[in-house]
């Protein structure tokens, strides 16, 4: 059975590839591909993964740092949504976004996942995985049908 770590790791790799692509072509279309992957990924982690870890004594600070890193990425994404790819500041913002997300992914895999593995048993890691898959399914459904994401 899949664990939450496998799923998130696969998505990290996809996000990294999309960021590389975006930096290469500098297009807004490529930026939106990053956003479409990163938005539900962060939301799912914040709803289903981080709250479980926050309960664990000693992980509070690590998780609060992860939230801050998400907020940094979200702010950059928000700023870039209203920019055009021909804008002067676009390439800088794009490379800032790449740096910010790459750094967070690295932290998450090397620290957050490592700690989580120490504290959560296999069953719990599989249970969160199922919840995450379900969340993603309904999120993507809502995107397709244009219903609001609640
Ligand atoms: Fe992640
Ligand atoms: Fe994250």
């Amino acid at each position: 059975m899949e664990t939450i770590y496998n799923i998130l790791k696969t998505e990290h790799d996809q996000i990294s590839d999309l960021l590389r692509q975006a930096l290469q072509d500098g297009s807004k279309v490529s930026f939106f591909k990053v956003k479409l992957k990163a938005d539900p990924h962060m939301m799912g982690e914040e709803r289903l993964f981080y709250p479980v870890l926050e309960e664990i004594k000693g992980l509070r600070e690590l998780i609060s740092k992860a939230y801050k890193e998400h907020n940094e990425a979200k702010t950059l994404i928000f700023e870039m949504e209203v920019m055009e790819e021909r804008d002067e500041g676009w390439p800088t913002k794009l490379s800032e976004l790449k740096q910010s997300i790459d750094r967070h992914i690295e932290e998450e895999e090397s620290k957050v996942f490592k700690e989580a593995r120490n504290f959560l048993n296999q069953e719990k890691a599989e249970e969160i995985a199922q919840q995450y898959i379900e969340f993603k399914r309904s999120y993507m459904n809502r995107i397709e049908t244009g219903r609001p994401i609640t």
Side-chain angles (χ1 to χ4, degrees):
M1 269 257 266
E2 259 182 324
T3 63
I4 188 64
Y5 316 116
N6 306 138
I7 295 175
L8 296 178
K9 170 76 174 104
T10 302
E11 291 191 0
H12 287 169
D13 293 346
Q14 291 167 344
I15 292 168
S16 294
D17 285 346
L18 290 170
L19 277 165
R20 255 194 304 276
Q21 180 61 43
L23 213 70
Q24 235 169 52
D25 67 24
S27 75
K28 197 158 179 185
V29 170
S30 294
F31 157 75
F32 271 117
K33 288 184 187 169
V34 174
K35 175 182 156 61
L36 191 64
K37 265 272 165 225
D39 278 354
H41 180 92
M42 289 192 281
M43 199 184 269
E45 285 179 343
E46 290 180 12
R47 286 190 183 194
L48 303 164
F49 187 42
Y50 291 177
V52 178
L53 300 175
E54 268 179 320
E55 300 279 303
I56 300 162
K57 235 174 92 186
L59 295 193
R60 267 207 123 79
E61 221 162 290
L62 185 64
I63 299 307
S64 121
K65 192 161 176 270
Y67 276 113
K68 280 194 197 120
E69 290 167 359
H70 277 195
N71 287 339
E72 185 182 292
K74 285 184 216 172
T75 302
L76 286 166
I77 289 172
F78 183 75
E79 289 170 352
M80 291 178 77
E81 275 182 277
V82 294
M83 289 173 80
E84 297 303 329
E85 60 187 61
R86 58 175 181 276
D87 288 353
E88 202 191 322
W90 179 261
T92 313
K93 282 281 177 216
L94 194 55
S95 71
E96 269 182 59
L97 181 68
K98 185 173 185 302
Q99 272 177 34
S100 166
I101 294 182
D102 283 347
R103 207 183 316 122
H104 173 66
I105 287 177
E106 164 65 24
E107 283 263 318
E108 204 156 61
E109 290 180 4
S110 68
K111 294 186 187 153
V112 179
F113 289 7
K114 190 167 160 251
E115 292 291 345
R117 281 196 174 92
N118 287 334
F119 288 103
L120 309 179
N121 60 23
Q122 177 76 10
E123 207 184 348
K124 188 70 188 167
E126 287 173 5
E127 183 193 314
I128 301 171
Q130 289 314 306
Q131 293 168 345
Y132 185 85
I133 290 167
E134 194 42 55
F135 164 77
K136 279 284 299 259
R137 190 176 295 139
S138 85
Y139 183 100
M140 296 323 273
N141 242 318
R142 280 168 189 272
I143 293 264
E144 276 163 28
T145 57
R147 279 177 296 147
I149 289 143
T150 49

